[in-house]
Each structure stands twice: as C-alpha cells, then as structure tokens.
Amino acid sequence: MECDLEDSAAGRHTYYPPRIKGQKSLLEEVTNGGWGAVSVAGECWRPFQDRICFQANMEANYVDLRLPSTEKVFERILKQHDYSIKRSDKADYIAASTTLLDQADFTKHLRETVYRDLFDAMKKGEALTKSAMLQYLKLPKKQQSGFPSVLLDLLRHGCLLRGSLCRCPACGMKNWYPVDEQDEFVACTGCRNRFQFPLDCAHSYRLSSLLSTCVDQGGIPVILTEMVLKNLAKKAYMAIPGLKLSPGEHDIDIAAVIDGRLVFAECKTMHSLKSPKNLKQIMAQLEKDHAMAKDIGADVFCVSVMTDKPYQSLLNFVKRKNKTHKPPLTIMLTLKDLEKGWLTTACVREKAPVNNRESRLWVNDMLELGYHNGFRCTMSA
C-alpha cells in the first residue's frame, strides 16, 4: 500500500521534496533511521520522495510521522553545496502579512493597481475614512456595494485598525486613537493633557504596523510573485521568502520547490531607480545570484518586475542566460503576469495554437516546452 504525504497547511498541495542529489536524507527524521526499509510500529515502511510504502495487514496501527519543515528542507539542500542559510527580518514580515491577508481573503486584491496604490499611500501611517478610501479607489458602483464587507474582513483579521483622529483642546495637536484606547477621557500624546473624547470624531482606518512594514519593505512584489509560482504547481508546492545565504552574501527573495523542481526568484519594483548606478548594482546582484542557483542545480531562476516595460539590460540578461538552453531556465515575470496570477502555454510558444485556446502552464510543462520549443524573453503572452 502507498500513502501520499500531505502538508495540511498547504491546502491542495502534497508534500514533495526536490529531485536533487541528497534528497533521500530529507526523510531520515521521520523514520529515525537510514534510508530504506525500516520498522515502525511493527510494520515495514519504505519512504519515497513524496510517499510512504508499507505492507498492510488487518490490524489497526496509528503511526505519527513528522515531516521536515520547509526551512529544514532548504537548509539541507544548501548545506550540500556549503551554503548556510538565515531568514531575514523581511521574510518574517512577508510570511506573517501573507497569512493575515489570506485569512481576510484579500490577497487576490493585491493584483489590482488601485488596492496596491491605496496600501502604498497608507504605509506611512495615514488614516483614511471609509468615504476617503472609496474616493481613492474609484470603484465602479457595482463593486462599491461589496466594499464594506471587504473592509470588515480586513478589520476582523487585524489587517486594518479602526480609530478616530481628534484635536487636543490644550495644545491643538491632532492624535489618532485606536478604538480599544478610546476611553471617556484620553491623554494627548503630545502635552499629556487628559480630555474628554469628543462626539464628532469620525472613524478612520490605518494599516496595521505589520502590513505597513511589509509594504514599505517591498513585500507586495514578493507576495504577487509567490502567487504566480504557487499556480505553477500541479501537485506540490513549498516556499520560503527572504533567505540570506553565505558565503557570498546572497539575498534570495523566494526559494521554492514546485512539483519537485527547485526555483529561486528575485523580485524588483523597478519604480524609482535614481541613477544608472542603481541598475548596475541590480544587474550585478542578479548575475551573482544566478551563478549561485546554477551551482546548486536549480531548475528555474525567476526575475519579477512591477512594470510591463522592463529595462533592456534585464531583457538581455534573460536572453543571454537562456542562450545555451541549460538549467536553470531563466524567466521574467512582468506586471501583466503578476496581475493575472498564473501563466499559460502562450508564454513558451512562439506561435499561437490554431484554435487560439491556451491551457494552464505547470512548471514541468514550462521546462519541457521552454527547452524544446524556445521561450520568450518575458513570460507575458
């Protein structure tokens, strides 16, 4: 009998370590022994890449199997190539923010420009009323009726905070007070004068400090890129954002295993490059990280940019790396890809099919079609 291993936190995706040298050691912790047939609860078990095989009988046996964490998987992969890993603070901000947004069913809205712009405007702590937010978003009338439920979900899960802005009668300073701090008498944060909370202070809303930090640290491009990568998985997906690798001082925005394929992704906003020197630094970093990915044996190296008009030097980088048709396959995700949220086979075909119908692109199909049929410089169809 064979049992698939499934990570209950990963939804539809099963547990699927990468297909690279040394992968068999990843399940040693589970079996408390070496690779091969081991005895667990009196039965003969044999761990495979994504499943456990065992001989069944009529007796009911309950076995607790512990799968290695995502961080442990990548730690072992990179250790084989003499790299040590450390999670950055940014990684924790992004992971926690993604969880909050997923719980509020709001992550999908980040694919819309108006919501990204709204979050960007609020990242410095600006509080907006409901009417001000609607005016900023300029939603069609049909969507405006559903906005209150979106707002309530964001408040319920702590993505937004509700409060009021009022003026201190003693010093005239305006302060914003969250609802859980609005007693009958409040203290001014400036002169410390205590005054009775006025009746005419309307409710307004702020981003939580976690989301403010995430947006300010460039977390939205990472979240959008991971949404696309997750939709390349037909069977299994695991990922970890914000890895620092040493030696070499590599900062990897996303390390992922998609259906057993090792993927590294770099995410760039490309909105405010102050000088050609900044672009030169970005290109040098991409060259260094691509060489690391090739050394480790990655299948895909992804560069995502929050623009539909990437710099020519970035386009040339992708073309040059793919010229030999050897791993890793180098792709660029543009804003069009990130807003769509998934890729189709049009991304790797030079000519559209006769019936003009495109199917969903999975990572293994992308590698096969990309290497054999040639691939476009950017993934946008």
Side-chain angles (χ1 to χ4, degrees):
M1 181 178 292
E2 293 185 349
C3 293
D4 287 339
L5 302 179
E6 183 173 348
D7 184 353
S8 60
R12 66 181 177 86
H13 296 129
T14 57
Y15 189 86
Y16 204 164
R19 302 170 179 169
I20 63 173
K21 183 180 178 182
Q23 65 174 348
K24 293 182 178 181
S25 65
L26 292 175
L27 288 175
E28 284 182 1
E29 290 181 89
V30 179
T31 59
N32 294 318
W35 181 256
V38 293
S39 178
V40 180
E43 299 295 334
C44 183
W45 295 70
R46 185 182 296 274
F48 281 88
Q49 182 180 15
D50 60 338
R51 63 190 57 197
I52 292 287
C53 292
F54 63 97
Q55 184 177 1
N57 55 30
M58 298 301 291
E59 298 178 4
N61 292 317
Y62 295 90
V63 180
D64 184 16
L65 298 178
R66 182 169 60 89
L67 302 176
S69 66
T70 301
E71 189 169 350
K72 180 67 70 174
V73 169
F74 284 105
E75 182 181 319
R76 292 193 177 188
I77 292 171
L78 297 169
K79 187 177 181 181
Q80 297 172 48
H81 298 272
D82 300 320
Y83 288 103
S84 60
I85 67 170
K86 180 182 178 182
R87 292 191 68 176
S88 64
D89 292 337
K90 180 180 176 180
D92 296 327
Y93 301 149
I94 293 173
S97 297
T98 302
T99 300
L100 276 183
L101 293 169
D102 283 343
Q103 290 172 349
D105 195 27
F106 189 82
T107 313
K108 59 188 177 187
H109 291 297
L110 293 180
R111 300 205 297 259
E112 302 175 46
T113 304
V114 288
Y115 281 106
R116 294 198 304 271
D117 290 345
L118 177 64
F119 273 29
D120 192 63
M122 299 176 70
K123 69 183 180 183
K124 296 300 184 182
E126 183 178 355
L128 298 177
T129 62
K130 175 187 167 185
S131 59
M133 293 172 76
L134 282 171
Q135 186 177 4
Y136 194 97
L137 291 170
K138 297 179 180 178
L139 296 173
K141 288 186 178 180
K142 290 183 179 180
Q143 294 185 28
Q144 287 184 19
S145 60
F147 180 71
S149 63
V150 173
L151 186 58
L152 285 172
D153 284 338
L154 290 172
L155 289 166
R156 185 181 303 113
H157 295 283
C159 301
L160 291 180
L161 304 178
R162 190 193 324 232
S164 300
L165 185 69
C166 64
R167 186 190 298 272
C168 172
C171 69
M173 183 176 177
K174 288 185 176 181
N175 302 295
W176 191 82
Y177 298 91
V179 289
D180 57 356
E181 295 179 12
Q182 292 179 14
D183 296 327
E184 186 60 34
F185 288 85
V186 294
C188 173
T189 58
C191 67
R192 305 307 299 168
N193 171 60
R194 288 185 61 81
F195 61 95
Q196 189 174 20
F197 204 84
L199 298 175
D200 57 352
C201 289
H203 278 153
S204 56
Y205 307 92
R206 270 183 174 177
L207 281 180
S208 70
S209 58
L210 173 64
L211 278 181
S212 295
T213 304
C214 176
V215 175
D216 193 46
Q217 294 287 326
I220 287 182
V222 178
I223 294 173
L224 290 175
T225 302
E226 189 170 356
M227 289 170 67
V228 176
L229 296 181
K230 188 177 291 186
N231 282 327
L232 286 173
K234 191 172 186 178
K235 182 178 180 181
Y237 179 85
M238 66 172 74
I240 185 169
L243 283 185
K244 289 181 173 289
L245 277 63
S246 58
E249 301 302 320
H250 300 277
D251 289 319
I252 304 299
D253 288 324
I254 303 173
V257 176
I258 309 173
D259 288 347
R261 303 292 188 172
L262 186 59
V263 178
F264 291 109
E266 284 295 314
C267 312
K268 306 297 180 186
T269 58
M270 308 302 289
H271 282 164
S272 56
L273 293 181
K274 297 180 180 179
S275 69
K277 184 179 179 181
N278 296 118
L279 180 59
K280 191 174 181 179
Q281 290 173 343
I282 289 175
M283 298 310 303
Q285 179 196 348
L286 290 176
E287 290 283 358
K288 184 174 68 171
D289 292 342
H290 188 279
M292 178 273 300
K294 185 176 181 180
D295 176 57
I296 291 174
D299 296 285
V300 178
F301 185 82
C302 172
V303 181
S304 73
V305 291
M306 295 289 287
T307 177
D308 282 326
K309 296 181 179 179
Y311 287 86
Q312 189 61 44
S313 54
L314 286 171
L315 300 176
N316 293 340
F317 170 81
V318 176
K319 287 180 179 179
R320 189 173 67 254
K321 296 304 179 184
N322 287 330
K323 202 169 184 179
T324 61
H325 284 227
K326 293 182 179 179
L329 174 66
T330 305
I331 66 172
M332 181 184 294
L333 301 178
T334 63
L335 183 59
K336 180 180 177 181
D337 301 313
L338 299 177
E339 289 184 336
K340 187 174 184 179
W342 65 87
L343 302 175
T344 69
T345 49
C347 298
V348 290
R349 284 180 175 151
E350 293 296 338
K351 296 182 180 180
V354 176
N355 58 10
N356 204 31
R357 294 182 63 183
E358 290 296 336
S359 59
R360 177 84 164 268
L361 184 65
W362 310 109
V363 68
N364 287 314
D365 296 334
M366 181 176 72
L367 289 167
E368 181 180 354
L369 291 170
Y371 286 139
H372 295 296
N373 295 349
F375 29 79
R376 299 181 181 180
C377 189
T378 65
M379 296 305 290
S380 298

